[in-house]
Amino acid sequence: MTLVTMARPSLTAAKRLPRLIRTMYTAPGSDMSMQSQDDWRLMQENRARFKLLFDLFSEHGSSQTRKNTFQPHHAYTRAVGPSHATVSALIAAGAHLGHTKSLMNPNFLPYAFGVRAGLTIIDLDKTVPLLRRAASVVRAIAQRGGTILFVGTRPDLRDIVRNAASKLEDQGYYISDRWLPGTLTNRRQLFPSGSQKYNITPDLVVFLNPMANMNAIRECAIQHIPTVGIVDSNVDPRIVMYPIPVNDESPRAAQLISGVLSVAGREGILTHHGEEKESERQRDRMMILEKLSSPEASM
């Protein structure tokens, strides 16, 4: 007795038919195909047996799923806050891999964990508090209405800085192509009309590849603008005010760092908006009290 009625296949199709029949029982290592009614009955029994075992052991298994565990793309699509920036997340992003031992900067020694296979391993136990310190700076500046500039001039960093700046709305800006020399120190000549109408000096600059933007770092130092930067083992951490020891060649690490800083800035903006609304309510309350206490109101 056949299960499916179909037209008589040609000779060539008949030869290929056994290969085209899909395996219905999907247990590992199973090659059972649907060729008779007994096969269908056996498949149903195996499926019921598997469901019984699954229901029996599901209470004792792990509760972790794809949604509540770390995935490599979560750093880009689901930016985490400073409190969720852990050592495990940094390791998963490859943030602990530095340059070769011969390229290590002597001033980077306090942030080095050791050497493995000729590569300097970054001590992420020291990176996490420095990252949270930088996030606190970003949050405080955004809370006071300051502007934050993200700089990442490598092709793989363009979307990262764009997404990070977009989370800060009008207080976030980014440079993804090339830092124009004199942007800060010679802005009156480069932007003659804009420098008078708008405040084009940022309150904080975040560098995702500082070695390629040394001119920008010097201009920030001249203008007394605080800087946050990702520093690798071949970089002197003193070039920026708030260094974050991380692998600067890993796009996933840059996504994680920029995501943490942008979320912190977003929290500061929301706090700033809440303080403004509270101050408006206080002013309205004071105006009402003044009107009620005036002589005209008593008459």
Side-chain angles (χ1 to χ4, degrees):
M1 177 179 180
T2 57
L3 299 178
V4 180
T5 304
M6 55 186 301
R8 181 178 181 181
S10 60
L11 182 61
T12 304
K15 293 180 179 180
R16 297 174 57 189
L17 186 60
R19 299 181 181 180
L20 297 177
I21 296 177
R22 183 179 179 182
T23 299
M24 298 298 295
Y25 181 54
T26 57
S30 174
D31 56 352
M32 185 175 63
S33 58
M34 299 296 298
Q35 295 181 355
S36 65
Q37 193 173 13
D38 294 335
D39 294 338
W40 172 263
R41 188 182 302 107
L42 181 59
M43 186 269 292
Q44 293 291 344
E45 293 177 357
N46 290 333
R47 178 179 294 180
R49 190 179 298 110
F50 178 78
K51 185 177 184 303
L52 179 63
L53 291 175
F54 182 82
D55 295 339
L56 179 63
F57 290 103
S58 60
E59 299 179 357
H60 309 284
S62 175
S63 60
Q64 293 183 350
T65 61
R66 183 178 176 84
K67 295 182 179 180
N68 58 15
T69 55
F70 175 80
Q71 299 294 329
H73 61 277
H74 285 177
Y76 185 74
T77 58
R78 305 177 186 177
V80 298
S83 60
H84 295 85
T86 59
V87 174
S88 60
L90 291 171
I91 291 177
H96 61 293
L97 301 176
H99 287 269
T100 59
K101 179 182 177 182
S102 59
L103 296 178
M104 187 178 70
N105 192 292
N107 296 316
F108 192 84
L109 188 60
Y111 307 110
F113 181 80
V115 179
R116 175 78 173 180
L119 295 178
T120 302
I121 305 300
I122 300 173
D123 191 356
L124 298 181
D125 287 331
K126 298 180 180 178
T127 300
V128 171
L130 294 177
L131 174 59
R132 293 178 179 175
R133 181 186 66 169
S136 299
V137 173
V138 174
R139 184 188 298 107
I141 292 177
Q143 184 176 349
R144 289 164 176 78
T147 57
I148 301 170
L149 176 64
F150 290 87
V151 179
T153 54
R154 286 204 318 258
D156 57 340
L157 299 177
R158 293 174 181 173
D159 293 336
I160 297 175
V161 295
R162 184 184 301 112
N163 292 334
S166 64
K167 291 184 176 65
L168 304 182
E169 299 177 349
D170 296 337
Q171 297 178 222
Y173 300 89
Y174 69 93
I175 294 179
S176 59
D177 293 329
R178 174 177 174 267
W179 180 276
L180 185 63
T183 301
L184 298 177
T185 56
N186 197 27
R187 59 182 181 274
R188 295 186 182 276
Q189 282 71 28
L190 293 176
F191 314 103
S193 59
S195 61
Q196 299 177 0
K197 295 181 180 179
Y198 307 101
N199 180 19
I200 60 176
T201 302
D203 297 287
L204 178 69
V205 182
V206 179
F207 293 96
L208 300 186
N209 56 336
M211 289 296 291
N213 296 282
M214 290 302 299
N215 291 331
I217 293 176
R218 294 189 187 97
E219 292 185 22
C220 292
I222 293 173
Q223 297 296 322
H224 304 286
I225 300 174
T227 54
V228 175
I230 293 177
V231 293
D232 209 332
S233 60
N234 64 330
V235 182
D236 187 353
R238 300 176 298 177
I239 63 175
V240 293
M241 188 174 296
Y242 300 98
I244 303 175
V246 165
N247 179 11
D248 62 353
E249 295 181 352
S250 172
R252 288 169 54 188
Q255 290 174 0
L256 179 61
I257 299 300
S258 62
V260 170
L261 298 179
S262 62
V263 169
R266 182 64 180 173
E267 293 174 355
I269 292 175
L270 295 177
T271 304
H272 177 65
H273 293 339
E275 292 177 352
E276 287 183 346
K277 293 181 180 179
E278 182 63 25
S279 61
E280 290 179 0
R281 286 195 293 267
Q282 291 289 344
R283 287 196 298 267
D284 295 340
R285 189 178 297 110
M286 293 298 296
M287 291 177 59
I288 294 173
L289 292 176
E290 290 178 358
K291 291 181 178 180
L292 292 178
S293 60
S294 63
E296 297 179 357
S298 60
M299 293 177 61

